[in-house]
Amino acid sequence: MFKLNENYLKLRGSYLFSTIAKKVASYSADNPDKELIRLGIGDVTRPLTPTVIHALHAAVDEMAAAETFRGYAPDLGYEFLRKAIAEHDFAGRGVSISPDEIFVSDGAKCDSGNIQEIFSADSKIAVCDPVYPVYVDTNVMAGRTGVFDETKEQWGDVIYMPCTAENNFTPALPEEVPDIIYLCSPNNPTGSALKKDALQQWVDYANKHGSVIIFDAAYEAYISEDDVPHSIYECTGAESCAIEIRSFSKNAGFTGVRLGYTVVPKALKASDGTALHSLWARRHGTKYNGAPYIQQRAGEAVYTKEGQEEVRALVSWYMENARLILDGLKEKGFEVSGGVNAPYIWLKTPNNMTSWEFFDYLLEKAGIVGTPGSGFGPSGEGYFRLTAFGSRENTVRAVERFKAL
Ligand code: PLP
């Protein structure tokens, strides 16, 4: 009889957003007349921009003629897109990343989940608490997290770095040195962002101790403050200790189109001198058959002058929602943060309610669906996440409902 991978059997509960979806579905079934406003999941709602639509159509048309038809994409990505990325996302910021250090993929979720595969099974990982659940769950799948401690609600072998109001939701350098450090800035779920000097400290720490940083910059486009780096490679020495993961989902609205990329610099080497670049290329080429040509042309269009203007307008549009939520909740007396460099607003639950108590309260009293902070880790207990990705109308109505609580 076949046996299952025991690591998978250790996974805790269901994925956070599936739990919320089930809870909301059951509430809606019991209350069919209640109209809900969903500010829970970090999914975009605005349509694709004209430049992207045009590029998608043009790429589909190319597929109609034998001369321009495309089959399998190069597994590491088309040169035209890798060049556009290197030029706009890196050279444009004074950072030298060459196109062949960029691995195009179908998004940041897969990359942030898969990248751990190339590291030793006994690697020690460090994550922020609260954390984007993918980082920990994929390391559970890899058998790297030890035994779950029910009292702490944490995995025994994982170094959790609390991100609380006291440290402005930014992690402190851990005393016990991890092999792999996951950093997400701007952060999901807290909406905080690491300033340049803080990120430089992480890079120095990783280089000093021989750790690798997996830097998730999926929300890079939302940065509005000058001293927040858009790429970890803006920090000195990052190319020898950091992998960066990016996405087209939240800037260009590609959550359903699917496109992202990961940077593995050639200078990043393991202690025996093996370049991670060649290992990741080997893994990527073996398990992945390349992001579709059509999507990659759409990604290229994002970097045109018009594409960039449209992305900026899209991001500003969502950030106006963030501003409305922040201002409205502050006016009502909520303790709120985030929403300045990220499309997430992190609020303290009132009257010492737990995150799930507030979830139920908000659903019942205001018909608003948000995300309980404790779902992202124990330090998220007593907090709640709202997203700025709703429609303007729903955002305004949600703020009114909050004010009427
Ligand atoms: N990384 C973070 C921190 C995210 O919040 C998300 C999505 O919500 C992703 C990655 C996934 O991005 P993608 O749509 O590119 O898979």
Side-chain angles (χ1 to χ4, degrees), residues 15 17 40-46 48 107-109 132 184 186 188 216-223 246-260 302 310-319 341-344 385 387-389:
Y15 189 61
F17 295 101
I41 294 180
D43 195 359
V44 294
T45 50
R46 303 291 297 158
L48 294 170
K109 187 176 193 177
Y132 176 55
C184 175
N188 177 16
D216 187 337
Y219 297 96
E220 167 276 332
Y222 288 83
I223 295 170
R246 295 270 195 115
S247 169
F248 287 77
S249 286
K250 309 301 165 85
N251 58 347
F254 277 34
T255 52
V257 175
R258 309 305 305 145
L259 195 66
V302 167
E310 289 166 2
V311 162
R312 275 195 289 276
L314 208 50
V315 167
S316 301
W317 195 93
Y318 288 126
M319 288 310 271
N341 294 303
Y344 294 119
R385 192 194 76 173
T387 89
F389 288 128

Side-chain angles (χ1 to χ4, degrees), residues 54-368:
H54 178 77
L56 285 168
H57 280 296
V60 170
D61 288 345
E62 281 185 53
M63 292 290 187
E67 304 76 47
T68 47
F69 171 77
R70 310 274 178 146
Y72 289 124
D75 32 66
L76 307 187
Y78 280 103
E79 194 62 16
F80 62 77
L81 179 59
R82 297 165 96 194
K83 269 191 179 157
I85 292 169
E87 190 182 319
H88 289 90
D89 286 348
F90 298 104
R93 296 199 174 275
V95 173
S96 172
I97 292 291
S98 71
D100 64 357
E101 292 174 305
I102 294 162
F103 297 79
V104 176
S105 73
D106 68 352
K109 187 176 193 177
C110 286
D111 283 351
S112 62
N114 291 333
I115 195 78
Q116 47 74 29
E117 282 183 27
I118 61 172
F119 298 101
S120 162
D122 64 357
S123 300
K124 188 102 192 163
I125 69 159
V127 297
C128 292
D129 169 23
V131 63
Y132 176 55
V134 173
Y135 312 150
V136 177
D137 280 1
T138 52
N139 278 283
V140 172
M141 292 171 183
R144 217 173 261 131
T145 45
V147 178
F148 192 75
D149 182 337
E150 301 284 349
T151 56
K152 290 191 193 153
E153 288 182 58
Q154 294 186 330
W155 291 95
D157 286 353
V158 177
I159 300 169
Y160 287 88
M161 305 180 290
C163 296
T164 59
E166 287 70 46
N167 61 17
N168 221 1
F169 304 104
T170 54
L173 301 171
E175 277 171 28
E176 184 187 359
V177 175
D179 299 302
I180 307 170
I181 301 162
Y182 287 86
L183 294 177
C184 175
S185 177
N187 190 265
N188 177 16
T190 66
S192 64
L194 287 165
K195 308 260 182 201
K196 178 82 184 281
D197 53 352
L199 191 56
Q200 183 64 57
Q201 281 182 20
W202 279 100
V203 168
D204 294 343
Y205 174 95
N207 275 324
K208 181 172 163 204
H209 296 292
S211 311
V212 63
I213 298 175
I214 297 171
F215 188 71
D216 187 337
Y219 297 96
E220 167 276 332
Y222 288 83
I223 295 170
S224 69
E225 291 180 324
D226 287 342
D227 54 352
V228 175
H230 289 245
S231 164
I232 195 166
Y233 304 115
E234 289 175 45
C235 294
T236 311
E239 62 287 349
S240 59
C241 69
I243 290 169
E244 181 163 306
I245 297 171
R246 295 270 195 115
S247 169
F248 287 77
S249 286
K250 309 301 165 85
N251 58 347
F254 277 34
T255 52
V257 175
R258 309 305 305 145
L259 195 66
Y261 68 87
T262 285
V263 178
V264 185
K266 289 185 178 156
L268 181 48
K269 303 212 164 114
S271 53
D272 69 352
T274 306
L276 269 60
H277 181 274
S278 52
L279 219 56
W280 184 242
R282 181 76 173 82
R283 187 266 172 214
H284 207 65
T286 304
K287 291 197 176 180
Y288 189 62
N289 248 342
Y293 174 72
I294 297 165
Q295 272 88 325
Q296 294 197 49
R297 279 293 182 205
E300 180 192 32
V302 167
Y303 292 107
T304 60
K305 186 170 164 287
E306 298 74 24
Q308 287 291 288
E309 280 164 11
E310 289 166 2
V311 162
R312 275 195 289 276
L314 208 50
V315 167
S316 301
W317 195 93
Y318 288 126
M319 288 310 271
E320 174 61 10
N321 280 353
R323 192 192 61 76
L324 288 168
I325 299 172
L326 271 179
D327 289 355
L329 266 61
K330 271 186 203 159
E331 205 181 306
K332 177 73 183 171
F334 280 96
E335 226 177 89
V336 280
S337 59
V340 174
N341 294 303
Y344 294 119
I345 289 92
W346 191 239
L347 66 106
K348 177 121 194 60
T349 59
N351 307 321
N352 291 322
M353 275 189 228
T354 67
S355 301
W356 278 109
E357 279 168 0
F358 188 66
F359 176 90
D360 290 334
Y361 171 83
L362 204 59
L363 192 59
E364 181 67 39
K365 297 273 186 234
I368 296 173

Side-chain angles (χ1 to χ4, degrees), residues 7-82:
N7 296 328
Y8 278 66
L9 302 177
K10 287 191 204 161
L11 287 164
R12 311 283 306 174
S14 59
Y15 189 61
L16 172 63
F17 295 101
S18 317
T19 311
I20 293 171
K22 272 190 211 132
K23 251 182 167 281
V24 172
S26 133
Y27 181 84
S28 289
D30 294 344
N31 302 274
D33 298 332
K34 191 140 179 183
E35 192 241 349
L36 300 180
I37 299 178
R38 292 164 201 271
L39 299 182
I41 294 180
D43 195 359
V44 294
T45 50
R46 303 291 297 158
L48 294 170
T49 66
T51 304
V52 165
I53 295 282
H54 178 77
L56 285 168
H57 280 296
V60 170
D61 288 345
E62 281 185 53
M63 292 290 187
E67 304 76 47
T68 47
F69 171 77
R70 310 274 178 146
Y72 289 124
D75 32 66
L76 307 187
Y78 280 103
E79 194 62 16
F80 62 77
L81 179 59
R82 297 165 96 194

